[in-house]
Amino acid sequence: MKAAVYRQYHKDPRQVVKIEDIDTPNPKGNEVLIKVEAAAYNYNDLWGIWGEPIKIPMPHISGSDVAGTVTEVGENVTTNIKEGDRVTSYPNLTCRVCYECTSGREYDCGNRLVWGFQTGPLWGGFAQYTHLPEVNVIKLLDNVSFTDAAAISMVGMTAWHMLVTRAKIRPGQTVLIMGGGSGMGIAGIQIAKLFNCDVIATAGNKDKMEKCLQLGADFVVNHRESDWYEKVREITNRQGVDVVYEHIGKTVFPQEVALLKIGGTLVSTGATTGYTSTIDLRYLFFKGTNLLGATQGTKAGLEGVIGWVSKGKIKPVIDTILPFSNMVEGHIKMADSQLFGKIVTTPQIL
Ligand SMILES: [Zn+2]
């Protein structure tokens, strides 16, 4: 089979990621073999290629979001997953026996590995075939395309976890979706609207601002303008917002905390502009502010998201679909971040 393999770290993916012929894997007892029809890109693919912030097993195949068809099941597979099923991946490999796992918090499992990022050698989604434990696949209804399923999995699961599981959004709340034009933002806007929240999105240019409105955002502000914070205050009649959906970090964090209503909640899953920040602690204790962290999500959450995709209530947004022979371009596009939606490659189409 063909797979996108790299054997050393490099800042430029084109220097190291090559399409190679390697052996098709055999599923272990509790695993299924998947013929990969679509695989989507995430930032952790770039972190793997760069070798930063963590080192990963080599040689490596990246890719944590796939959809395809089950072509073989291991002898110990006990669920109703069978050959011919259309499935998508749930990328958290967890122990399923620790306290956190058995409390329904598999995302907090101390043994958790993100498949396609921390796994290997040669175990990820950018390949014509891959294998996953049966508990890490979710069946797709026929009306959910492979490209849509791959495109929504990681961002949909993470956004659901942030807004529904952690921030516990409710109808009528005002939710500020930072970076509304990013993959995370697109999922966040749609989930907040699904819960009948009022959504204020931020984006970095006119084109992305317009697209946020088309996705259902009620208001949009340009977070590259220095008065973005004042504009959000004006939109809320100086009341602030109930929930901030945060993945930007240092450059906006203090303003986000200040924008929260009394008892409001900020939920963070990343910090692309920097990890350190200062906040006025009076906002924390006087206003009863909730500062929450979130990473990844649950399989049940992802199944919920896929269900809403099937009902047409969450629409995956795809920027580009690349043939597999040109898959490395997806890493480049991801790095320069001038995207609206996900990049997907099709390993069966070279
Ligand atoms: Zn565990």
Side-chain angles (χ1 to χ4, degrees), residues 18-342:
K18 306 291 176 196
I19 304 296
E20 293 187 10
D21 282 301
I22 62 170
D23 291 340
T24 302
N26 292 312
K28 297 191 191 87
N30 68 336
E31 291 182 340
V32 301
L33 185 68
I34 302 166
K35 183 181 183 187
V36 180
E37 300 288 350
Y41 297 69
N42 292 288
Y43 268 99
N44 62 26
D45 306 326
L46 287 172
W47 297 335
I49 297 165
W50 295 338
E52 293 169 6
I54 63 166
K55 303 294 178 198
I56 42 117
M58 289 284 190
H60 200 80
I61 298 173
S62 289
S64 305
D65 273 345
V66 303
T69 307
V70 173
T71 56
E72 199 180 328
V73 299
E75 57 192 7
N76 299 327
V77 168
T78 54
T79 59
N80 58 353
I81 301 287
K82 54 189 185 310
E83 252 183 77
D85 281 346
R86 302 169 75 254
V87 295
T88 193
S89 54
Y90 167 66
N92 282 314
L93 304 178
T94 61
C95 79
R96 296 188 175 263
V97 293
C98 73
Y99 177 81
E100 286 75 19
C101 281
T102 54
S103 304
R105 294 187 292 119
E106 58 211 73
Y107 43 85
D108 285 335
C109 176
N111 297 308
R112 182 171 64 84
L113 293 176
V114 178
W115 172 67
F117 174 43
Q118 296 163 292
T119 57
L122 298 176
W123 191 20
F126 290 127
Q128 291 186 315
Y129 288 84
T130 193
H131 54 110
L132 276 170
E134 59 176 319
V135 296
N136 286 91
V137 299
I138 292 169
K139 275 200 208 185
L140 296 174
L141 293 175
D142 286 343
N143 71 343
V144 179
S145 70
F146 290 128
T147 47
D148 275 358
I152 199 66
S153 290
M154 183 82 91
V155 288
M157 169 186 72
T158 308
W160 186 272
H161 183 55
M162 290 172 73
L163 290 172
V164 182
T165 312
R166 297 290 281 145
K168 298 184 168 56
I169 53 172
R170 299 189 304 278
Q173 288 187 316
T174 302
V175 179
L176 175 62
I177 302 286
M178 299 300 294
S182 65
M184 282 299 301
I186 290 167
I189 290 170
Q190 294 192 65
I191 291 168
K193 287 313 296 179
L194 185 65
F195 279 73
N196 285 323
C197 296
D198 292 330
V199 171
I200 305 170
T202 78
N205 63 51
K206 250 191 142 78
D207 182 45
K208 287 191 176 186
M209 289 169 74
E210 185 55 40
K211 286 176 172 161
C212 288
L213 293 172
Q214 289 167 9
L215 277 177
D218 300 282
F219 304 93
V220 62
V221 300
N222 187 336
H223 60 224
R224 289 191 203 280
E225 289 174 4
S226 57
D227 65 344
W228 73 269
Y229 159 87
E230 268 306 316
K231 284 188 171 152
V232 174
R233 296 249 298 156
E234 280 167 30
I235 290 166
T236 64
N237 293 322
R238 311 195 81 72
Q239 298 297 302
V241 300
D242 295 288
V243 174
V244 176
Y245 176 90
E246 152 61 13
H247 52 111
I248 297 191
K250 183 177 179 174
T251 57
V252 291
F253 199 86
Q255 291 98 323
E256 290 170 347
V257 173
L259 277 171
L260 287 169
K261 276 183 188 169
I262 291 173
T265 299
L266 180 149
V267 59
S268 163
T269 198
T272 46
T273 62
Y275 302 125
T276 54
S277 182
T278 52
I279 58 168
D280 182 335
L281 291 173
R282 289 171 296 182
Y283 286 114
L284 189 61
F285 57 81
F286 275 137
K287 293 173 71 178
T289 296
N290 304 295
L291 296 181
L292 304 179
T295 188
Q296 297 277 334
T298 62
K299 183 185 179 189
L302 177 55
E303 286 190 277
V305 169
I306 295 289
W308 288 112
V309 172
S310 173
K311 291 173 188 164
K313 299 284 189 181
I314 294 177
K315 294 185 173 66
V317 177
I318 296 173
D319 182 276
T320 309
I321 298 178
L322 290 167
F324 200 48
S325 55
N326 198 25
M327 70 79 62
V328 74
E329 285 307 311
H331 294 309
I332 307 300
K333 276 182 83 80
M334 188 93 213
D336 80 16
S337 81
Q338 289 309 309
L339 303 167
F340 192 84
K342 298 289 286 183

